[in-house]
Short mmCIF file of all heavy atoms in Angstrom, two decimals:
data_model
loop_
_atom_site.label_atom_id
_atom_site.label_comp_id
_atom_site.label_asym_id
_atom_site.label_seq_id
_atom_site.Cartn_x
_atom_site.Cartn_y
_atom_site.Cartn_z
N LEU C 1 -6.09 -14.02 -3.87
CA LEU C 1 -5.40 -15.25 -3.47
C LEU C 1 -6.41 -16.29 -3.00
O LEU C 1 -7.46 -15.94 -2.45
CB LEU C 1 -4.43 -14.98 -2.32
CG LEU C 1 -3.12 -14.26 -2.66
CD1 LEU C 1 -2.38 -13.92 -1.36
CD2 LEU C 1 -2.24 -15.11 -3.56
N PRO C 2 -6.13 -17.59 -3.18
CA PRO C 2 -6.98 -18.63 -2.59
C PRO C 2 -7.05 -18.44 -1.07
O PRO C 2 -6.12 -17.92 -0.45
CB PRO C 2 -6.25 -19.93 -2.95
CG PRO C 2 -5.42 -19.58 -4.15
CD PRO C 2 -5.03 -18.15 -3.98
N GLN C 3 -8.16 -18.87 -0.48
CA GLN C 3 -8.41 -18.63 0.93
C GLN C 3 -7.30 -19.15 1.83
O GLN C 3 -6.93 -18.51 2.82
CB GLN C 3 -9.75 -19.27 1.33
CG GLN C 3 -10.23 -18.88 2.73
CD GLN C 3 -10.46 -17.40 2.88
OE1 GLN C 3 -10.90 -16.72 1.96
NE2 GLN C 3 -10.14 -16.85 4.05
N GLN C 4 -6.72 -20.31 1.49
CA GLN C 4 -5.70 -20.87 2.37
C GLN C 4 -4.46 -19.99 2.45
O GLN C 4 -3.78 -19.93 3.49
CB GLN C 4 -5.32 -22.29 1.93
CG GLN C 4 -4.64 -22.40 0.57
CD GLN C 4 -5.64 -22.68 -0.53
OE1 GLN C 4 -6.79 -22.26 -0.44
NE2 GLN C 4 -5.22 -23.40 -1.57
N TYR C 5 -4.17 -19.25 1.36
CA TYR C 5 -3.02 -18.36 1.38
C TYR C 5 -3.32 -17.06 2.12
O TYR C 5 -2.43 -16.44 2.69
CB TYR C 5 -2.55 -18.06 -0.04
CG TYR C 5 -1.96 -19.26 -0.74
CD1 TYR C 5 -2.63 -19.87 -1.80
CD2 TYR C 5 -0.74 -19.80 -0.34
CE1 TYR C 5 -2.10 -20.99 -2.43
CE2 TYR C 5 -0.20 -20.91 -0.97
CZ TYR C 5 -0.89 -21.51 -2.01
OH TYR C 5 -0.36 -22.62 -2.63
N GLN C 6 -4.58 -16.66 2.12
CA GLN C 6 -4.94 -15.41 2.79
C GLN C 6 -4.81 -15.52 4.31
O GLN C 6 -4.84 -14.51 5.01
CB GLN C 6 -6.36 -14.99 2.40
CG GLN C 6 -6.50 -14.68 0.92
CD GLN C 6 -7.66 -13.76 0.62
OE1 GLN C 6 -8.05 -12.95 1.44
NE2 GLN C 6 -8.22 -13.89 -0.58
N GLN C 7 -4.68 -16.74 4.81
CA GLN C 7 -4.52 -16.93 6.25
C GLN C 7 -3.09 -16.69 6.71
O GLN C 7 -2.81 -16.63 7.90
CB GLN C 7 -4.94 -18.36 6.63
CG GLN C 7 -6.32 -18.78 6.17
CD GLN C 7 -7.40 -17.84 6.69
OE1 GLN C 7 -7.38 -17.44 7.85
NE2 GLN C 7 -8.34 -17.47 5.83
N LEU C 8 -2.16 -16.58 5.76
CA LEU C 8 -0.74 -16.38 6.12
C LEU C 8 -0.54 -15.00 6.75
O LEU C 8 -1.30 -14.06 6.48
CB LEU C 8 0.14 -16.52 4.88
CG LEU C 8 0.20 -17.91 4.26
CD1 LEU C 8 0.95 -17.87 2.94
CD2 LEU C 8 0.86 -18.90 5.21
N PRO C 9 0.50 -14.85 7.58
CA PRO C 9 0.78 -13.54 8.20
C PRO C 9 1.00 -12.46 7.13
O PRO C 9 1.53 -12.73 6.05
CB PRO C 9 2.05 -13.80 9.01
CG PRO C 9 2.08 -15.27 9.23
CD PRO C 9 1.44 -15.89 8.02
N ASP C 10 0.64 -11.24 7.47
CA ASP C 10 0.74 -10.14 6.50
C ASP C 10 2.18 -9.91 6.03
O ASP C 10 2.40 -9.60 4.86
CB ASP C 10 0.19 -8.85 7.12
CG ASP C 10 -1.33 -8.87 7.20
OD1 ASP C 10 -1.96 -9.61 6.42
OD2 ASP C 10 -1.88 -8.15 8.05
N ASN C 11 3.14 -10.05 6.95
CA ASN C 11 4.52 -9.80 6.52
C ASN C 11 4.99 -10.86 5.52
O ASN C 11 5.77 -10.57 4.60
CB ASN C 11 5.45 -9.76 7.73
CG ASN C 11 5.48 -11.08 8.50
OD1 ASN C 11 4.46 -11.72 8.64
ND2 ASN C 11 6.65 -11.46 8.99
N VAL C 12 4.51 -12.09 5.69
CA VAL C 12 4.86 -13.13 4.73
C VAL C 12 4.19 -12.86 3.39
O VAL C 12 4.82 -12.96 2.32
CB VAL C 12 4.44 -14.52 5.27
CG1 VAL C 12 4.65 -15.60 4.22
CG2 VAL C 12 5.22 -14.85 6.54
N LEU C 13 2.92 -12.51 3.43
CA LEU C 13 2.19 -12.22 2.20
C LEU C 13 2.77 -11.01 1.47
O LEU C 13 2.89 -11.02 0.24
CB LEU C 13 0.71 -11.97 2.52
CG LEU C 13 -0.14 -13.20 2.80
CD1 LEU C 13 -1.55 -12.79 3.21
CD2 LEU C 13 -0.19 -14.11 1.59
N PHE C 14 3.12 -9.97 2.23
CA PHE C 14 3.64 -8.76 1.60
C PHE C 14 4.88 -9.08 0.76
O PHE C 14 4.94 -8.74 -0.42
CB PHE C 14 3.99 -7.72 2.68
CG PHE C 14 4.34 -6.37 2.12
CD1 PHE C 14 3.39 -5.37 2.04
CD2 PHE C 14 5.63 -6.09 1.67
CE1 PHE C 14 3.70 -4.12 1.51
CE2 PHE C 14 5.96 -4.86 1.14
CZ PHE C 14 4.98 -3.87 1.07
N ASN C 15 5.85 -9.73 1.37
CA ASN C 15 7.08 -10.04 0.65
C ASN C 15 6.83 -11.03 -0.48
O ASN C 15 7.39 -10.91 -1.57
CB ASN C 15 8.12 -10.60 1.61
CG ASN C 15 8.61 -9.55 2.61
OD1 ASN C 15 8.74 -8.39 2.26
ND2 ASN C 15 8.87 -9.97 3.83
N GLY C 16 5.98 -12.02 -0.24
CA GLY C 16 5.70 -13.01 -1.27
C GLY C 16 5.01 -12.41 -2.47
O GLY C 16 5.35 -12.72 -3.62
N ILE C 17 4.01 -11.55 -2.22
CA ILE C 17 3.27 -10.92 -3.32
C ILE C 17 4.18 -9.98 -4.11
O ILE C 17 4.17 -9.96 -5.34
CB ILE C 17 2.04 -10.17 -2.78
CG1 ILE C 17 1.00 -11.18 -2.29
CG2 ILE C 17 1.44 -9.27 -3.85
CD1 ILE C 17 -0.15 -10.55 -1.52
N LEU C 18 5.00 -9.20 -3.39
CA LEU C 18 5.89 -8.27 -4.08
C LEU C 18 6.90 -9.05 -4.93
O LEU C 18 7.16 -8.68 -6.09
CB LEU C 18 6.61 -7.38 -3.08
CG LEU C 18 7.52 -6.29 -3.68
CD1 LEU C 18 6.75 -5.42 -4.68
CD2 LEU C 18 8.13 -5.44 -2.58
N ASP C 19 7.46 -10.12 -4.38
CA ASP C 19 8.40 -10.94 -5.15
C ASP C 19 7.73 -11.50 -6.40
O ASP C 19 8.30 -11.50 -7.50
CB ASP C 19 8.92 -12.11 -4.29
CG ASP C 19 9.92 -11.66 -3.24
OD1 ASP C 19 10.42 -10.53 -3.36
OD2 ASP C 19 10.17 -12.44 -2.30
N GLN C 20 6.49 -11.98 -6.23
CA GLN C 20 5.78 -12.55 -7.37
C GLN C 20 5.53 -11.51 -8.46
O GLN C 20 5.73 -11.77 -9.65
CB GLN C 20 4.45 -13.14 -6.92
CG GLN C 20 3.66 -13.80 -8.05
CD GLN C 20 2.30 -14.27 -7.60
OE1 GLN C 20 1.54 -13.52 -7.01
NE2 GLN C 20 1.98 -15.53 -7.88
N LEU C 21 5.10 -10.30 -8.06
CA LEU C 21 4.84 -9.25 -9.05
C LEU C 21 6.13 -8.80 -9.74
O LEU C 21 6.13 -8.50 -10.94
CB LEU C 21 4.15 -8.06 -8.37
CG LEU C 21 2.72 -8.32 -7.90
CD1 LEU C 21 2.17 -7.10 -7.16
CD2 LEU C 21 1.81 -8.66 -9.08
N ILE C 22 7.21 -8.76 -9.00
CA ILE C 22 8.50 -8.40 -9.61
C ILE C 22 8.90 -9.46 -10.63
O ILE C 22 9.31 -9.15 -11.76
CB ILE C 22 9.58 -8.25 -8.52
CG1 ILE C 22 9.34 -6.96 -7.72
CG2 ILE C 22 10.99 -8.25 -9.14
CD1 ILE C 22 10.24 -6.82 -6.50
N GLN C 23 8.76 -10.73 -10.24
CA GLN C 23 9.12 -11.82 -11.16
C GLN C 23 8.23 -11.81 -12.41
O GLN C 23 8.72 -11.98 -13.53
CB GLN C 23 9.01 -13.16 -10.42
CG GLN C 23 10.04 -13.35 -9.32
CD GLN C 23 9.65 -14.44 -8.35
OE1 GLN C 23 8.69 -15.18 -8.58
NE2 GLN C 23 10.39 -14.55 -7.25
N GLN C 24 6.93 -11.61 -12.19
CA GLN C 24 6.01 -11.58 -13.33
C GLN C 24 6.33 -10.41 -14.26
O GLN C 24 6.25 -10.54 -15.49
CB GLN C 24 4.57 -11.48 -12.84
CG GLN C 24 4.05 -12.75 -12.19
CD GLN C 24 2.66 -12.58 -11.61
OE1 GLN C 24 2.20 -11.45 -11.39
NE2 GLN C 24 1.98 -13.68 -11.37
N THR C 25 6.67 -9.27 -13.68
CA THR C 25 7.00 -8.10 -14.49
C THR C 25 8.25 -8.35 -15.32
O THR C 25 8.32 -8.02 -16.51
CB THR C 25 7.19 -6.86 -13.60
OG1 THR C 25 6.01 -6.65 -12.82
CG2 THR C 25 7.44 -5.61 -14.45
N ALA C 26 9.28 -8.94 -14.68
CA ALA C 26 10.51 -9.25 -15.41
C ALA C 26 10.24 -10.26 -16.53
O ALA C 26 10.74 -10.11 -17.66
CB ALA C 26 11.55 -9.82 -14.44
N LEU C 27 9.43 -11.27 -16.25
CA LEU C 27 9.08 -12.26 -17.27
C LEU C 27 8.29 -11.62 -18.41
O LEU C 27 8.53 -11.90 -19.59
CB LEU C 27 8.28 -13.40 -16.64
CG LEU C 27 9.07 -14.40 -15.80
CD1 LEU C 27 8.12 -15.28 -15.00
CD2 LEU C 27 9.96 -15.26 -16.69
N ALA C 28 7.33 -10.76 -18.04
CA ALA C 28 6.50 -10.11 -19.06
C ALA C 28 7.35 -9.24 -19.98
O ALA C 28 7.15 -9.20 -21.20
CB ALA C 28 5.41 -9.28 -18.39
N GLN C 29 8.32 -8.54 -19.39
CA GLN C 29 9.19 -7.68 -20.20
C GLN C 29 10.11 -8.49 -21.10
O GLN C 29 10.54 -8.01 -22.15
CB GLN C 29 10.01 -6.77 -19.29
CG GLN C 29 9.19 -5.67 -18.63
CD GLN C 29 10.03 -4.86 -17.66
OE1 GLN C 29 10.53 -5.39 -16.67
NE2 GLN C 29 10.19 -3.58 -17.93
N SER C 30 10.39 -9.71 -20.69
CA SER C 30 11.29 -10.54 -21.50
C SER C 30 10.59 -11.14 -22.71
O SER C 30 11.24 -11.61 -23.64
CB SER C 30 11.88 -11.67 -20.64
OG SER C 30 10.89 -12.67 -20.39
N PHE C 31 9.25 -11.12 -22.69
CA PHE C 31 8.50 -11.76 -23.77
C PHE C 31 8.48 -10.84 -25.00
O PHE C 31 8.02 -9.70 -24.93
CB PHE C 31 7.08 -12.06 -23.31
CG PHE C 31 6.25 -12.76 -24.36
CD1 PHE C 31 6.39 -14.13 -24.55
CD2 PHE C 31 5.36 -12.06 -25.15
CE1 PHE C 31 5.64 -14.79 -25.51
CE2 PHE C 31 4.61 -12.70 -26.11
CZ PHE C 31 4.75 -14.08 -26.30
N THR C 32 8.98 -11.34 -26.09
CA THR C 32 9.04 -10.54 -27.32
C THR C 32 8.27 -11.18 -28.47
O THR C 32 8.22 -10.63 -29.57
CB THR C 32 10.50 -10.33 -27.76
OG1 THR C 32 11.12 -11.62 -27.95
CG2 THR C 32 11.27 -9.52 -26.72
N GLY C 33 7.68 -12.35 -28.21
CA GLY C 33 6.95 -13.03 -29.27
C GLY C 33 5.55 -12.47 -29.47
O GLY C 33 5.17 -11.46 -28.88
N GLU C 34 4.80 -13.16 -30.31
CA GLU C 34 3.41 -12.77 -30.56
C GLU C 34 2.49 -13.51 -29.59
O GLU C 34 2.60 -14.72 -29.42
CB GLU C 34 3.02 -13.12 -32.01
CG GLU C 34 1.62 -12.67 -32.38
CD GLU C 34 1.29 -12.99 -33.82
OE1 GLU C 34 2.22 -13.39 -34.57
OE2 GLU C 34 0.12 -12.86 -34.19
N LEU C 35 1.63 -12.76 -28.94
CA LEU C 35 0.74 -13.37 -27.95
C LEU C 35 -0.25 -14.31 -28.64
O LEU C 35 -0.84 -13.95 -29.66
CB LEU C 35 -0.04 -12.30 -27.19
CG LEU C 35 0.75 -11.44 -26.21
CD1 LEU C 35 -0.12 -10.31 -25.68
CD2 LEU C 35 1.27 -12.28 -25.06
N PRO C 36 -0.47 -15.51 -28.08
CA PRO C 36 -1.49 -16.39 -28.64
C PRO C 36 -2.88 -15.80 -28.39
O PRO C 36 -3.06 -15.02 -27.45
CB PRO C 36 -1.29 -17.70 -27.87
CG PRO C 36 -0.64 -17.29 -26.59
CD PRO C 36 0.20 -16.11 -26.92
N PRO C 37 -3.88 -16.15 -29.19
CA PRO C 37 -5.21 -15.57 -29.05
C PRO C 37 -5.81 -15.70 -27.66
O PRO C 37 -6.60 -14.86 -27.23
CB PRO C 37 -6.04 -16.34 -30.08
CG PRO C 37 -5.05 -16.81 -31.10
CD PRO C 37 -3.79 -17.08 -30.34
N ARG C 38 -5.44 -16.78 -26.91
CA ARG C 38 -6.05 -16.98 -25.60
C ARG C 38 -5.72 -15.86 -24.62
O ARG C 38 -6.49 -15.62 -23.68
CB ARG C 38 -5.59 -18.31 -25.01
CG ARG C 38 -4.11 -18.48 -24.84
CD ARG C 38 -3.76 -19.86 -24.28
NE ARG C 38 -2.35 -20.16 -24.46
CZ ARG C 38 -1.39 -19.70 -23.68
NH1 ARG C 38 -1.69 -18.91 -22.65
NH2 ARG C 38 -0.13 -20.02 -23.90
N VAL C 39 -4.60 -15.15 -24.81
CA VAL C 39 -4.24 -14.10 -23.87
C VAL C 39 -5.18 -12.90 -23.98
O VAL C 39 -5.80 -12.50 -22.99
CB VAL C 39 -2.77 -13.68 -24.04
CG1 VAL C 39 -2.45 -12.49 -23.14
CG2 VAL C 39 -1.85 -14.85 -23.72
N PRO C 40 -5.32 -12.26 -25.17
CA PRO C 40 -6.28 -11.16 -25.25
C PRO C 40 -7.72 -11.61 -24.97
O PRO C 40 -8.51 -10.85 -24.40
CB PRO C 40 -6.12 -10.63 -26.68
CG PRO C 40 -5.44 -11.71 -27.44
CD PRO C 40 -4.58 -12.43 -26.44
N LEU C 41 -8.06 -12.84 -25.35
CA LEU C 41 -9.41 -13.34 -25.06
C LEU C 41 -9.63 -13.44 -23.55
O LEU C 41 -10.70 -13.08 -23.05
CB LEU C 41 -9.61 -14.71 -25.72
CG LEU C 41 -9.71 -14.72 -27.25
CD1 LEU C 41 -9.72 -16.15 -27.77
CD2 LEU C 41 -10.95 -13.98 -27.72
N SER C 42 -8.62 -13.92 -22.84
CA SER C 42 -8.71 -14.03 -21.38
C SER C 42 -8.85 -12.65 -20.75
O SER C 42 -9.63 -12.44 -19.81
CB SER C 42 -7.49 -14.75 -20.82
OG SER C 42 -7.43 -16.08 -21.27
N LEU C 43 -8.07 -11.68 -21.28
CA LEU C 43 -8.15 -10.32 -20.76
C LEU C 43 -9.53 -9.72 -21.00
O LEU C 43 -10.08 -9.03 -20.13
CB LEU C 43 -7.06 -9.45 -21.40
CG LEU C 43 -5.62 -9.77 -21.00
CD1 LEU C 43 -4.66 -8.97 -21.84
CD2 LEU C 43 -5.41 -9.49 -19.51
N GLU C 44 -10.10 -9.98 -22.18
CA GLU C 44 -11.44 -9.47 -22.48
C GLU C 44 -12.49 -10.08 -21.55
O GLU C 44 -13.38 -9.40 -21.05
CB GLU C 44 -11.79 -9.75 -23.94
CG GLU C 44 -11.02 -8.90 -24.93
CD GLU C 44 -11.28 -9.31 -26.37
OE1 GLU C 44 -12.23 -10.08 -26.60
OE2 GLU C 44 -10.52 -8.87 -27.26
N ASN C 45 -12.38 -11.40 -21.34
CA ASN C 45 -13.32 -12.06 -20.43
C ASN C 45 -13.19 -11.52 -19.01
O ASN C 45 -14.20 -11.30 -18.32
CB ASN C 45 -13.08 -13.57 -20.42
CG ASN C 45 -13.87 -14.28 -21.52
OD1 ASN C 45 -14.70 -13.68 -22.19
ND2 ASN C 45 -13.58 -15.55 -21.70
N GLU C 46 -11.96 -11.33 -18.56
CA GLU C 46 -11.74 -10.83 -17.20
C GLU C 46 -12.28 -9.41 -17.06
O GLU C 46 -12.91 -9.07 -16.05
CB GLU C 46 -10.24 -10.85 -16.88
CG GLU C 46 -9.89 -10.45 -15.46
CD GLU C 46 -10.36 -11.44 -14.43
OE1 GLU C 46 -10.74 -12.57 -14.80
OE2 GLU C 46 -10.35 -11.08 -13.24
#
């Protein structure tokens, strides 16, 4: 997380991060198209 967000209380971060991961997971599962080249390229770079 960016530094300014890491200053938030742990209980706020815990719920916020879990909500975000749940939302991202639901969105990822909903995707049925073909990934553009930038996605695997970004994963390789990371």
Side-chain angles (χ1 to χ4, degrees):
L1 285 173
Q3 190 61 36
Q4 65 267 30
Y5 292 110
Q6 297 204 28
Q7 306 303 317
L8 293 172
D10 286 336
N11 62 322
V12 173
L13 283 176
F14 189 96
N15 292 324
I17 290 170
L18 184 55
D19 286 345
Q20 182 185 52
L21 291 176
I22 288 172
Q23 292 162 9
Q24 289 175 342
T25 304
L27 284 168
Q29 289 176 297
S30 73
F31 182 80
T32 57
E34 183 178 350
L35 290 172
R38 59 182 164 80
V39 175
L41 290 172
S42 296
L43 291 173
E44 288 174 13
N45 273 352
E46 184 68 13

